[in-house]
Amino acid sequence: MAESVRTLISEEDVDKRIEELGAEISRDYAGQTVHLVCVLKGAVFFMCELAKRITVPVTMDFMSASSYGSSTKSSGVVKIVKDLDEPLKDKNVLIVEDIIDSGRTLSYLMKMLGDREPASIKLCTLLDKPERRVTDVKVDYTGFEIPDEFVVGYGLDYDQRYRNLPFIGVVEFN
Ligand code: IMP
Ligand code: MG
């Protein structure tokens, strides 16, 4: 089956929105240090761009959780593949995610990381598909709300491909 990618959000629009989010986060965390927690691998492009736009002191750590196999359907199972290197105690944690779909991954992670006694814990996602939600998740910063379509680019993959696209696109199967 042949596939192609249609642009949903241009590189320019993504960059502009990340700049706005960075400014908003910088205002909200004024006088504090924000500890960014990147959920690998999808959020890595977004987190790097966002971090560059934040003007308060930033520290960062990375973790990897998997809820998907190599298909476009959620298995509903969240597995911690790589945990954080540093403790979260007394830090202002901002979890950075690429996309919230069913919400299962993030509701699990928020609970797990919240138990590590951070001073605060918030969530920032580049993309949100609210129609798909099955588990309640409080999102503090959202880049874009998108319809229920399978998207790639800016870190998001289809079967590990397309992460390096500088825009958000929809995979179409022809
Ligand atoms: P959730 O647990 O269903 O919210 O799934 C979240 C994870 O599923 C994201 O971090 C992505 O890795 C993956 N995912 C969900 N929707 C898409 C999509 O449209 N494109 C690529 N990955 C997706
Ligand atoms: Mg992800």
Side-chain angles (χ1 to χ4, degrees), residues 39-43 65 97-99:
V39 185
L40 294 169
K41 302 170 189 154
E97 181 52 311
D98 51 0
I99 188 164

Side-chain angles (χ1 to χ4, degrees), residues 17 19-29 140-142:
R17 184 68 188 119
E19 192 168 336
E20 290 170 0
L21 287 173
E24 193 182 339
I25 290 165
S26 303
R27 278 196 301 276
D28 292 354
Y29 288 87
D140 300 282
Y141 305 97
T142 303

Side-chain angles (χ1 to χ4, degrees), residues 5-74:
V5 179
R6 167 172 57 84
T7 303
L8 182 70
I9 308 168
S10 70
E11 178 173 10
E12 197 191 353
D13 287 350
V14 177
D15 290 350
K16 194 165 148 264
R17 184 68 188 119
I18 295 176
E19 192 168 336
E20 290 170 0
L21 287 173
E24 193 182 339
I25 290 165
S26 303
R27 278 196 301 276
D28 292 354
Y29 288 87
Q32 297 174 305
T33 295
V34 58
H35 187 64
L36 302 179
V37 166
C38 176
V39 185
L40 294 169
K41 302 170 189 154
V44 76
F45 289 70
F46 173 43
M47 182 159 118
C48 292
E49 293 308 311
L50 183 67
K52 288 193 277 181
R53 304 291 184 185
I54 297 175
T55 53
V56 298
V58 165
T59 54
M60 52 185 85
D61 204 347
F62 299 84
M63 72 182 304
S64 179
S66 109
S67 63
Y68 281 67
S70 57
S71 82
T72 57
K73 293 251 166 59
S74 172

